[in-house]
C-alpha cells in the first residue's frame, strides 16, 4: 500500500484581548493573528511573522465587563461600541483570511497559553459564523509544548523561567497583533529547540 500523505500544518499565532474571563457574558474586543510557520513530515519552517497578519477591533456584545480585564488592553469600550467591527463581519473576514494563508495546509491556532484565546476565538467563530476554520481541536498550546520539551510540570512553566534564547525580542504589549507576532517567534524557537539537553524531539 502507498504511504499515507500527511498534510502540512500551517501554524497561526492568535492573541485575543477581552473584557472578562469567558465569552458570552463578556466580549472579545480585539483579535490579532500572524502566520508563524509550516510543519511537514520533514520538519518545521518558520515564516516571517510580520508578512501575513490579521487584526480587528470588535464591538462589545454585552454591557458586562471586568474593569481589571479591560485595563490590561487599554481598549475603550465606548469607542468600540461605535467604531468596532460587527463580530459577524470580523469573524467572517478572519475565517476567509485563515483559508487564504493556509492554502495547501491545515490551519492550526497556537497561543501562549492557548486556552484563554482559543475559548474566545472558538466561541465567537461558532456563534457568529457557524464554523471554525480550525475545526474543534486544531489548537496548539505553546506552554504545553515547552513543558514537554523541557521535561517540566506544566504549572512550573512561565516565560520568565524559559531560556532567553527561546523568547522573542519583541515586547509583550497587550496589543493583540503585537502579541500574536511576538508569540509566532516564540513558537518558531520552540519548534526548533531540541530541549535542554539536546535530546528532545525536534530538528535541533
Amino acid at each position: 500500500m502507498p504511504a499515507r500523505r500527511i498534510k502540512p500544518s500551517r501554524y497561526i499565532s492568535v492573541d485575543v484581548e477581552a473584557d472578562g474571563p469567558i465569552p458570552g457574558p463578556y466580549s472579545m474586543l480585539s483579535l490579532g493573528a500572524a502566520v508563524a510557520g509550516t510543519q511537514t513530515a520533514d520538519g518545521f519552517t518558520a515564516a516571517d511573522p510580520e508578512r501575513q497578519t490579521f487584526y480587528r477591533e470588535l464591538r462589545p456584545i454585552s454591557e458586562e465587563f471586568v474593569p481589571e480585564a479591560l485595563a490590561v488592553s487599554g481598549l475603550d469600550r465606548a469607542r468600540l461600541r461605535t467604531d468596532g467591527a460587527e463580530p459577524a463581519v470580523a469573524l467572517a473576514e478572519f475565517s476567509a483570511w485563515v483559508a487564504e494563508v493556509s492554502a495547501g495546509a491545515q490551519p492550526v491556532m497556537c497561543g501562549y497559553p492557548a486556552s484563554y484565546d482559543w475559548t474566545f476565538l472558538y466561541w465567537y467563530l461558532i456563534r457568529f459564523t457557524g464554523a471554525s476554520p480550525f475545526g474543534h481541536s486544531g489548537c496548539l498550546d505553546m506552554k504545553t509544548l515547552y513543558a514537554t520539551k523541557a521535561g517540566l510540570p506544566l504549572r512550573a512553566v512561565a516565560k520568565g523561567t524559559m531560556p532567553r534564547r527561546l523568547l522573542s525580542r519583541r515586547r509583550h504589549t497587550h496589543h493583540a497583533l503585537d502579541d500574536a507576532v511576538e508569540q509566532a517567534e516564540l513558537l518558531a524557537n520552540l519548534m526548533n529547540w531540541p530541549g535542554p539537553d539536546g535530546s528532545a524531539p525536534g530538528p535541533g
Side-chain angles (χ1 to χ4, degrees), residues 12-28:
I12 298 173
S13 172
V14 173
D15 187 79
V16 163
E17 298 298 329
D19 61 13
I22 58 172
Y26 304 102
S27 305
M28 179 166 70

Side-chain angles (χ1 to χ4, degrees), residues 18-28 61-62 64-66 77 120 123-124:
D19 61 13
I22 58 172
Y26 304 102
S27 305
M28 179 166 70
I61 60 172
S62 82
E64 296 184 53
F65 67 96
V66 176
R77 277 177 53 94
F120 271 89
W123 188 94
Y124 264 72

Side-chain angles (χ1 to χ4, degrees), residues 2-146:
R4 178 174 172 268
R5 182 176 178 271
I6 299 175
K7 197 169 186 179
S9 289
R10 183 75 29 81
Y11 290 110
I12 298 173
S13 172
V14 173
D15 187 79
V16 163
E17 298 298 329
D19 61 13
I22 58 172
Y26 304 102
S27 305
M28 179 166 70
L29 300 180
S30 63
L31 167 63
V35 175
T38 303
Q39 178 88 44
T40 69
D42 297 321
F44 177 81
T45 302
D48 175 354
E50 293 185 320
R51 193 171 72 84
Q52 294 176 300
T53 63
F54 181 94
Y55 180 72
R56 293 291 186 277
E57 295 181 355
L58 287 75
R59 180 183 58 78
I61 60 172
S62 82
E63 295 304 313
E64 296 184 53
F65 67 96
V66 176
E68 294 82 2
L70 184 62
V72 170
S73 68
L75 291 166
D76 184 342
R77 277 177 53 94
R79 177 183 65 81
L80 291 177
R81 284 193 200 99
T82 303
D83 299 338
E86 288 295 326
V89 174
L91 272 296
E93 291 173 341
F94 176 71
S95 293
W97 176 82
V98 171
E100 179 183 348
V101 300
S102 299
Q106 292 179 315
V108 176
M109 176 270 189
C110 56
Y112 184 98
S115 52
Y116 181 81
D117 304 275
W118 174 262
T119 297
F120 271 89
L121 179 63
Y122 186 75
W123 188 94
Y124 264 72
L125 284 165
I126 299 302
R127 170 67 179 81
F128 292 106
T129 73
S132 164
F134 306 103
H136 68 276
S137 62
C139 174
L140 183 146
D141 177 36
M142 297 182 216
K143 194 169 185 176
T144 303
L145 177 61
Y146 175 76

